[in-house]
Amino acid sequence: MWKAVVMSEEVGKALQSVVERVNQAAARRPKTLPALPPRLVAVSKTKPTELVIEAYRQGQRDFGENYVSSYQLMSSWRKLQIQSCPEIQWHFIGHLQKNNVNKLLGVPNLFMVETVDSVKLADKVNSSWQRVRAASTQRLKIMVQINTSGEQSKHGLPPEETVTTVKHILSQCNALHFTGLMTIGRYGYDLSKGPNPDFQMLLSRRQEVCDGLKLPLEEVELSMGMSSDFEHAIEVGATNVRVGSIIFGNREYPNSAPNTPIPSPEKRSKVVSEEAAKKMAHLTVSEH
């Protein structure tokens, strides 16, 4: 019980610190970018329900999970505990296989699927949503995931297929609400070399989508940036950032050592903050 209380207190402090950094980064954005307040998605994968509830109690509403097969929300005990969080909004941020679509769409409070990466998957999600939520006319929010880094280990649509895929969703997937583009990008990019090229790629693809399909720029969101680079992502235009480890601590795996203490929020973010501050100090932010 004592450990659970300590962990909850640390999550509350860490969350408040991240929210403050999100707001500060947003204030540094050029006025030429759409004035969309960044949405913080707290990535709670593999974490105890108590920590999710504490973050919710602190005002957090958007949470991210990335495995359908081990989706923590699916267990009956988690559903019971999560009833104390009626306004929670779940974002699916992992690779989605077509055979798992129905299971995912049955999750209560599913708010957005950020990882639609093909026309076929879009069609499957669209038809399944129509069937699963037949009594509701509410469309499911989705983002199109782009593989901006070109790495074979990353999922996502080839950048050159962005416009045609979005066009298909807008014209053929009536149960879906296209809200924007998402990327994971290359891990560990050195910001001392300049703005992250994956973020710049996503910005340019949004411009192409808006120009080609006559969509207002402010209506197409960008989900990019994680614990190590969310501030830079916001500065260059992210409207949705996915932050996990500096809020909840490092991910826990079945084979990890038990009783490993969760670092304080100060320790978790100190190195990231100092390095990011040094590397971002000289960057010239651009939209393309």
Side-chain angles (χ1 to χ4, degrees):
M1 178 63 71
W2 177 83
K3 181 180 179 181
V5 171
V6 171
M7 290 169 64
S8 293
E9 289 179 351
E10 295 293 351
V11 165
K13 293 177 183 177
L15 177 62
Q16 292 172 11
S17 173
V18 170
V19 169
E20 183 177 345
R21 291 167 61 185
V22 166
N23 293 335
Q24 290 174 349
R28 294 193 294 268
R29 285 190 300 202
K31 302 302 181 184
T32 53
L33 291 174
L36 293 174
R39 179 193 299 108
L40 170 63
V41 177
V43 181
S44 52
K45 52 194 174 187
T46 77
K47 293 302 176 181
T49 304
E50 290 79 8
L51 301 188
V52 175
I53 293 175
E54 176 59 24
Y56 183 95
R57 193 182 70 81
Q58 295 289 334
Q60 181 64 25
R61 292 295 181 266
D62 293 275
F63 292 84
E65 296 278 354
N66 72 337
Y67 292 110
V68 176
S69 60
S70 60
Y71 213 84
Q72 296 175 346
L73 193 63
M74 300 299 291
S75 63
S76 58
W77 64 268
R78 187 174 177 87
K79 286 182 181 179
L80 288 174
Q81 288 184 285
I82 222 69
Q83 287 177 358
S84 61
C85 308
E87 297 177 355
I88 199 166
Q89 299 184 149
W90 291 106
H91 295 237
F92 185 72
I93 60 173
H95 177 56
L96 180 58
Q97 296 178 323
K98 289 193 287 293
N99 61 341
N100 283 327
V101 168
N102 289 338
K103 183 185 296 185
L104 173 64
L105 299 191
V107 171
N109 290 49
L110 179 66
F111 178 72
M112 184 184 295
V113 177
E114 297 194 17
T115 51
V116 173
D117 60 2
S118 71
V119 166
K120 290 183 178 179
L121 180 59
D123 288 339
K124 174 64 176 177
V125 174
N126 181 68
S127 61
S128 295
W129 184 254
Q130 289 175 324
R131 183 172 59 255
V132 172
R133 302 295 168 94
S136 173
T137 58
Q138 183 177 2
R139 294 184 297 163
L140 175 65
K141 293 181 175 65
I142 63 101
M143 288 188 172
V144 172
Q145 181 180 359
I146 310 300
N147 185 347
T148 55
S149 65
E151 297 170 277
Q152 292 186 350
S153 60
K154 296 285 195 308
H155 296 286
L157 194 73
E160 61 273 15
E161 297 180 18
T162 305
V163 176
T164 56
T165 302
V166 173
K167 182 178 181 180
H168 175 87
I169 292 170
L170 292 174
S171 62
Q172 303 298 321
C173 300
N174 296 330
L176 305 183
H177 178 199
F178 169 72
T179 62
L181 306 176
M182 178 266 207
T183 190
I184 294 176
R186 190 180 302 272
Y187 294 121
Y189 174 74
D190 185 356
L191 291 175
S192 66
K193 298 179 180 179
N196 189 318
D198 290 312
F199 298 167
Q200 297 298 306
M201 170 71 77
L202 205 64
L203 282 161
S204 67
R205 293 303 169 182
R206 177 176 67 174
Q207 191 66 54
E208 289 181 4
V209 165
C210 292
D211 290 345
L213 303 179
K214 309 301 180 185
L215 299 177
L217 202 66
E218 62 273 11
E219 292 185 8
V220 180
E221 295 194 37
L222 296 178
S223 178
M224 57 189 191
M226 296 183 284
S227 289
S228 63
D229 55 11
F230 71 92
E231 289 164 298
H232 172 57
I234 291 172
E235 287 190 356
V236 300
T239 63
N240 191 91
V241 291
R242 312 175 303 272
V243 180
S245 60
I246 59 175
I247 296 176
F248 295 107
N250 292 328
R251 292 165 62 182
E252 297 170 2
Y253 297 92
N255 295 327
S256 61
N259 302 320
T260 301
I262 293 181
S264 68
E266 291 80 8
K267 290 182 179 179
R268 289 205 295 270
S269 62
K270 183 178 180 181
V271 174
V272 172
S273 298
E274 290 179 350
E275 288 300 314
K278 291 177 183 177
K279 293 174 180 178
M280 290 194 298
H282 70 286
L283 293 184
T284 300
V285 177
S286 62
E287 289 187 69
H288 305 291

